[in-house]
Amino acid sequence: QVQLVESGGGLVQPGGSLRLSCVASGSIFRVNDMGWYRQAPGKERELVATIASGGNRKYEDSVKGRFTISRDNAKNTVYLQMNSLKPEDTAVYYCYADAQRLPWEMRDNYWGQGTQVTVSS
């Protein structure tokens, strides 16, 4: 099994910063894309940012220029540096990993339990 554990959420004032981390552990042969989704109350889950194993990054339009996704392949860890936070960034943030447990197995998506980010004065 593959487990993803997020950390780094919390309460921050508008304009502040937070850094989320997510570690993938367990039986892992290869981790491909990793990334972050978020879900605000009453809204659907939306993609925030993704990063391929080779480093190619994609961002949702509203976070471009404010959020930076990075990863440490040796540690199977993905980070999300969030700067200039706005109240509309308030949501539960979920990390995911497109991973392969064994060489002969299919790839699958694995999810973390979510971490709350609240931006409020």
Side-chain angles (χ1 to χ4, degrees), residues 6 33 51 103 117:
E6 299 116 334
D33 289 1
I51 183 168
V117 171

Side-chain angles (χ1 to χ4, degrees), residues 32-81:
N32 302 296
D33 289 1
M34 300 186 81
W36 295 89
Y37 279 73
R38 66 185 179 187
Q39 188 166 19
K43 294 188 177 181
E44 294 186 353
R45 189 176 295 192
E46 65 174 359
L47 179 65
V48 177
T50 64
I51 183 168
S53 56
N56 187 37
R57 298 168 172 83
K58 295 181 181 179
Y59 296 95
E60 195 269 330
D61 285 346
S62 69
V63 308
K64 287 179 180 177
R66 300 189 297 122
F67 291 9
T68 302
I69 190 169
S70 61
R71 65 188 285 173
D72 183 332
N73 289 334
K75 297 180 180 179
N76 288 332
T77 300
V78 63
Y79 306 96
L80 187 67
Q81 178 66 44

Side-chain angles (χ1 to χ4, degrees), residues 62-115:
S62 69
V63 308
K64 287 179 180 177
R66 300 189 297 122
F67 291 9
T68 302
I69 190 169
S70 61
R71 65 188 285 173
D72 183 332
N73 289 334
K75 297 180 180 179
N76 288 332
T77 300
V78 63
Y79 306 96
L80 187 67
Q81 178 66 44
M82 304 185 293
N83 299 329
S84 302
L85 282 161
K86 304 176 181 180
E88 50 264 43
D89 294 317
T90 296
V92 178
Y93 284 70
Y94 299 90
C95 98
Y96 83 94
D98 172 356
Q100 194 174 354
R101 295 191 303 167
L102 294 168
W104 53 87
E105 285 194 358
M106 298 291 288
R107 294 160 58 169
D108 202 354
N109 282 338
Y110 297 88
W111 294 88
Q113 79 286 354
T115 185

